[in-house]
Every structure is written in C-alpha cells, then in structure tokens.
Amino acid sequence: MRKGLLWAVMLGALGCHSGLGTACDAETTCPEGLVCSFPPPPKEGGEGLKGLCDYPPRGLDEPCSQAAECETALTCSNHFEPNTRYGRCVPRRASGEACFQDRDCATGRCEGASGSALDGTCAG
C-alpha cells in the first residue's frame, strides 16, 4: 500500500504541468511558469484575442523540436540538419541562405520552399 502511494505521488509530480493548455486572455492569467500564448490574429474580423497557457518560448541555444518553440527572432536548427528531430534555437537566416519555412528567415520570407525540405531561399 505504501509503495503504491509513493508511486502515485512521484507520477503526479512528474505529470503534466497544471494549467498547460487552459484558455487565457488579457484578464485571465496562467499559473506560475506558464505564459499566455496567442495565435496569429485572424485576417478578417473574428472574436477577441484568446490564447492558451503554454511554456515560455526558448532562447538562444536552448533545445527545440520546431521553430515555434523558439523566441520570435530565432528558429530551430533541426530545419537545416537532415534527418534530425531535435535541435537548438538559433538566429534566423540572412537573405540568400537556404530555408525550410518563412520562420527561418530574418526577413520572414522563404521563397520556393515546399515545406518538406530545405529547398527554399530567404528573400530580401
């Protein structure tokens, strides 16, 4: 009985962060350690801005599995390393360099990218 209780406590401590994925907005705050992450605004009309409680964006050289996990000025290095699932948050690329998606470029424009390979070019 005691061993089962100990396991339950340990699993609870290792489980999901309380509040992760819950709705938030300007009036509703997230639990400590989480931030309110907002999606891009709708192109036309739409409701007030709603977000979800999420982990804060990762900084330079922190681990990532996709560019969206990194701070706005950064992208994930795994986009530039074939057959790599995880990478580090790195600065966005300059005009003329190879890119995977718009988020990889300092200008925010990756032209000619298929979205499945490093086949685009950062446009100036």
Side-chain angles (χ1 to χ4, degrees):
M1 174 77 171
R2 218 172 191 197
K3 203 176 206 179
L5 181 60
L6 178 62
W7 274 107
V9 169
M10 287 175 52
L11 287 174
L14 295 174
C16 292
H17 197 290
S18 178
L20 188 63
T22 57
C24 58
D25 56 28
E27 298 171 5
T28 310
T29 59
C30 295
E32 186 177 337
L34 299 177
V35 296
C36 193
S37 178
F38 294 95
K43 294 188 190 273
E44 292 181 25
E47 297 179 26
L49 214 49
K50 299 279 185 190
L52 292 175
C53 293
D54 198 359
Y55 295 109
R58 296 184 176 136
L60 184 63
D61 249 3
E62 291 187 303
C64 57
S65 61
Q66 58 181 327
E69 294 174 352
C70 301
E71 292 175 351
T72 305
L74 305 172
T75 190
C76 192
S77 66
N78 65 350
H79 288 189
F80 316 117
E81 301 164 6
N83 302 320
T84 304
R85 184 175 183 142
Y86 299 102
R88 298 232 169 253
C89 294
V90 296
R92 291 179 175 201
R93 294 196 152 185
S95 293
E97 292 188 88
C99 55
F100 180 79
Q101 63 182 24
D102 290 342
R103 174 75 189 249
D104 295 334
C105 304
T107 61
R109 290 183 36 226
C110 178
E111 293 183 347
S114 65
S116 60
L118 188 61
D119 56 359
T121 303
C122 290

